[in-house]
Amino acid sequence: MKDHINGTRDEKRNKGTDHTCSDNPSPMSWDSADIVRYEQSIALKIPGYAHMHDLMDKLLTATIADNNHIRILVTGAGGGKEITLLGTKHPDWSLTGMDTSKPMLDLAKKRADEARISHRVKLFSETIKQLPEDGLYDGATSMLMLHFIQGLEAKKSFLMHLASKLKPGAPLILASVNADLDSPAYPIMMQAWREHMMQAGVLTEEWERFAASLGQTSDPVSAEILVRLLAECGFSRITRYFAAFWVEGYYAIRD
């Protein structure tokens, strides 16, 4: 147990993986990923995935004043989960989605078409910095994407640009993988998360790819650092509303 807790950062990252496979899984690329399989498996990987999104909707609804001109910015809109959920529940809301992955954005467009909300949806394959100026938004979401932005400065730049696109008092609902890879709790949490995924039917190779990605193709930060970043970037009333293993959801208000 001593070695288990005090291993190196790389050793901790790989604890809980199934080492019966001789080849390491290749890193995930959003441009070549199996998008259909991703859509099917993400809800299996995260306990309470649907609940996390339902709470997202309820927090936005409780905060935003009821009128006929609500505009919501959905960052990391690929896949279309937030677009279709908010679009179908709020027929008067207009939604702008952005994602740099074309395959994921194509899936979002498909889902919006199927939900018959495309006339209220704009999708952009841009970064937040490149997003066309189109007035300030009444609220925003950033669900499960911040940990893919590499480095604190890049995360801070993203959050600052996001804040600049929101009206004062506008809510932000953000969910991400928040983990201290050097924490003694890290290997234990990962082992428990692995058990959850295996029991839910996630493929072993998908678990291995996910576990290997933390600190490599993804860059999670601790909850403490995330809260500090949000405050530094112009957000207040920062409150955690969801947690499952290393996945956390936060509610915040643009100052």
Side-chain angles (χ1 to χ4, degrees), residues 18 33 48 52 62 79 88 97 121 123 137 158 177 222:
D18 185 343
M52 177 178 72
T88 54
V121 174
L123 296 174
Y137 292 88
F158 166 77
V177 176
S222 68

Side-chain angles (χ1 to χ4, degrees), residues 178 180 221-229 248 250:
N178 301 326
D180 178 357
V221 296
S222 68
E224 292 78 10
I225 291 176
L226 173 61
V227 170
R228 188 188 77 205
L229 283 174
E248 294 182 316
Y250 282 85

Side-chain angles (χ1 to χ4, degrees), residues 221-252:
V221 296
S222 68
E224 292 78 10
I225 291 176
L226 173 61
V227 170
R228 188 188 77 205
L229 283 174
L230 286 168
E232 289 176 354
C233 293
F235 293 95
S236 61
R237 288 185 258 174
I238 303 160
T239 306
R240 190 176 71 174
Y241 78 90
F242 176 87
F245 296 119
W246 291 122
V247 177
E248 294 182 316
Y250 282 85
Y251 167 86

